[in-house]
């Protein structure tokens, strides 16, 4: 692991801990050259299906892309980073369980849309406005009505 300050490759692990799900290992490290400390996170890399975009392009799964979109949707809301990480973990588990080697990105988008109201309804509306690409206010209002109707059930 390269030191983020001096880029030296030799360091020692001071402390290792697993997260509560035992899926991520957090390691505190100390650079042997400059003595500064830094943290690394390790997670098991699993081969996930390729995403097939609307235009036919193929793209590998990027956890950071979804996390960034959710953080933007949850901006100034009372949603912790841990909740967002758990939400993204759930999507990754669905991808791992998916049997095909490729998956349309719309399927993943729908998984996100299904789960977001439970995370935060305002985040759902924000995410939906970008994901669904509403053409006018009527489409937006129809989505809000669907959300309100599902909440009343």
């Amino acid at each position: 692991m390269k030191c983020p300050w001096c880029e030296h490759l030799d360091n020692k692990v001071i402390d290792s801990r697993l997260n509560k799900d035992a899926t991520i290992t957090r390691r505190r490290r100390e650079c042997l050259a400059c003595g500064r400390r830094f943290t690394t996170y390790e997670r098991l890399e699993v081969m996930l299906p390729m995403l097939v975009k609307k235009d036919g392009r193929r793209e590998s799964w990027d956890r950071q892309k979804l996390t960034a979109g959710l953080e933007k949707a949850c901006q100034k809301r009372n949603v912790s980073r841990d909740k967002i990480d758990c939400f993204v973990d759930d999507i990754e588990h669905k991808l791992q369980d998916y049997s095909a080697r490729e998956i349309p990105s719309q399927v993943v988008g729908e998984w996100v849309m299904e789960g977001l109201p439970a995370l935060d309804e305002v985040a759902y509306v924000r995410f939906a406005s970008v994901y669904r690409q509403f053409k006018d206010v009527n489409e937006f209002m129809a989505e809000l009505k669907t959300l309100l109707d599902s909440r009343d059930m």
Side-chain angles (χ1 to χ4, degrees):
M1 184 63 55
K2 190 190 298 187
C3 173
W5 289 278
C6 72
E7 298 188 358
H8 197 261
L9 291 175
D10 292 329
N11 59 70
K12 66 180 177 181
V13 175
I14 298 169
D15 180 41
S16 289
R17 294 182 188 191
L18 291 173
N19 69 340
K20 63 183 175 204
D21 301 328
T23 56
I24 300 172
T25 304
R26 176 188 176 272
R27 298 192 195 282
R28 283 295 290 159
R29 298 174 182 269
E30 183 177 331
C31 177
L32 296 176
C34 69
R36 294 183 79 174
R37 293 184 177 188
F38 57 99
T39 303
T40 60
Y41 295 90
E42 298 173 16
R43 86 174 43 243
L44 180 65
E45 185 175 25
V46 179
M47 292 303 293
L48 298 173
M50 292 290 285
L51 299 177
V52 181
K53 305 298 240 174
K54 286 180 189 175
D55 64 3
R57 287 181 297 120
R58 278 146 179 76
E59 210 174 88
S60 47
W61 166 253
D62 185 354
R63 178 185 177 90
Q64 277 308 115
K65 230 176 180 180
L66 178 57
T67 302
L70 291 172
E71 285 175 344
K72 188 161 268 198
C74 294
Q75 198 169 26
K76 296 186 181 178
R77 300 292 301 157
N78 192 21
V79 179
S80 70
R81 177 61 196 250
D82 286 342
K83 285 185 179 179
I84 292 172
D85 285 340
C86 286
F87 187 88
V88 175
D89 287 344
D90 291 343
I91 298 295
E92 282 188 337
H93 285 87
K94 286 183 178 184
L95 282 169
Q96 290 169 1
D97 293 341
Y98 198 78
S99 57
R101 295 177 73 158
E102 293 182 340
I103 184 170
S105 61
Q106 293 88 343
V107 172
V108 178
E110 290 306 317
W111 290 344
V112 172
M113 294 295 292
E114 288 168 12
L116 256 178
L119 183 67
D120 187 83
E121 289 180 339
V122 173
Y124 169 82
V125 172
R126 289 175 177 171
F127 193 90
S129 68
V130 174
Y131 178 72
R132 299 257 195 251
Q133 298 177 343
F134 299 126
K135 304 280 187 276
D136 58 30
V137 111
N138 293 329
E139 288 182 16
F140 190 76
M141 292 302 291
E143 187 71 30
L144 284 175
K145 184 172 177 1
T146 304
L147 175 64
L148 291 172
D149 290 346
S150 69
R151 188 179 3 151
D152 292 340
M153 292 181 178

